Amino acid sequence: ETGVTQTPRHLVMGMTNKKSLKCEQHLGHNAMYWYKQSAKKPLELMFVYSLEERVENNSVPSRFSPECPNSSHLFLHLHTLQPEDSALYLCASSQVAGGVGGKNNEQFFGPGTRLTVL
Amino acid sequence: AQSVSQHNHHVILSEAASLELGCNYSYGGTVNLFWYVQYPGQHLQLLLKYFSGDPLVKGIKGFEAEFIKSKFSFNLRKPSVQWSDTAEYFCAVNAGGSARQLTFGSGTQLTVLP
């Protein structure tokens, strides 16, 4: 496997379910990100992890819970979601988080998980 | 907070037409600028990037973009589009005040008619 992989690619869940999204990067990067992509809206940054430490949390509801056990893996735990949470959830990684003017914060994206909440 | 505006939501062109997609951002300091492309059913891919130096940046597949600091713009261009360029294009900015954040525009859907 190369690049950034995400599983599952599609997920349908009820509002009372608990599920997890998984992201794995094979690039040796130190920073990982979760984004939400909804129709007709810009990509929304949800969380940023740098060296397994959460460094950004963009006012995301607590029903979304990220976990970064190591620099290669990132999870998004989901519970009691709402139908409006249906979207494409994208994971990305970069060599470092931050560093404007440098070349190491280019982000590489995974294919996303298409989530539908019934 | 930084923001990114893409004024063209949907652009329809015939093959061989020239393309220019607008991107403006709001931040007065140092920025990194990106254009990403998302082909139907595929994941976001980097088209080109600007970090510093020559403001005219060349990317993959014949695309280029010009950073005009005085206009806070980073417009994407291609002299002759192909049907295979049909995709959604996203401009993104990484600014000094919140360098960990990549702020995206809302995207421009490009449809190229054969």
Side-chain angles (χ1 to χ4, degrees):
Chain A
E1 288 278 15
T2 59
V4 181
T5 58
Q6 290 186 243
T7 55
R9 295 294 307 275
H10 299 272
L11 177 62
V12 179
M13 58 187 289
M15 289 190 284
T16 58
N17 292 156
K18 289 185 180 181
K19 297 287 184 182
S20 296
L21 309 185
K22 179 182 176 182
C23 174
E24 185 172 0
Q25 58 96 1
H26 310 268
L27 300 167
H29 289 166
N30 293 313
M32 297 186 77
Y33 310 77
W34 278 117
Y35 288 88
K36 178 182 179 183
Q37 186 178 24
S38 304
K40 310 297 182 187
K41 293 174 68 175
L43 270 75
E44 302 169 54
L45 178 67
M46 300 175 73
F47 302 104
V48 180
Y49 276 83
S50 178
L51 297 171
E52 300 136 52
E53 178 185 347
R54 190 190 313 179
V55 295
E56 293 279 351
N57 178 348
N58 273 9
S59 303
V60 179
S62 59
R63 57 186 183 269
F64 295 92
S65 175
E67 179 190 0
C68 187
N70 55 63
S71 60
S72 298
H73 294 85
L74 185 65
F75 295 89
L76 188 62
H77 304 299
L78 316 171
H79 63 99
T80 60
L81 294 192
Q82 305 297 312
E84 60 264 29
D85 296 322
S86 299
L88 182 68
Y89 288 85
L90 294 171
C91 174
S93 72
S94 64
Q95 191 166 347
V96 298
V100 175
K103 298 185 179 181
N104 294 333
N105 63 359
E106 174 186 338
Q107 293 183 24
F108 294 78
F109 285 81
T113 295
R114 175 69 61 188
L115 174 67
T116 302
V117 182
L118 303 177
Chain B
Q2 66 206 45
S3 64
V4 180
S5 297
Q6 291 182 245
H7 304 294
N8 311 106
H9 298 295
H10 195 179
V11 173
I12 302 174
L13 296 173
S14 298
E15 276 195 313
S18 65
L19 169 72
E20 181 160 2
L21 301 182
C23 174
N24 289 90
Y25 64 93
S26 62
Y27 183 73
T30 303
V31 291
N32 288 355
L33 300 160
F34 306 82
W35 275 98
Y36 282 87
V37 60
Q38 191 170 31
Y39 297 103
Q42 297 189 28
H43 60 275
L44 276 169
Q45 302 171 44
L46 184 69
L47 206 53
L48 49 77
K49 60 192 177 188
Y50 171 81
F51 291 131
S52 62
D54 189 344
L56 184 60
V57 179
K58 295 198 182 297
I60 60 172
K61 304 185 180 185
F63 286 90
E64 65 178 30
E66 185 175 12
F67 170 47
I68 303 179
K69 190 174 182 179
S70 61
K71 295 185 178 180
F72 301 93
S73 70
F74 190 56
N75 292 354
L76 181 70
R77 299 194 293 250
K78 185 172 184 179
S80 176
V81 294
Q82 301 173 307
W83 176 78
S84 58
D85 293 324
T86 295
E88 190 154 18
Y89 293 81
F90 296 90
C91 181
V93 174
N94 191 226
S98 55
R100 297 186 184 98
Q101 290 208 26
L102 196 59
T103 302
F104 282 82
S106 55
T108 297
Q109 175 64 48
L110 171 65
T111 301
V112 179
L113 304 175

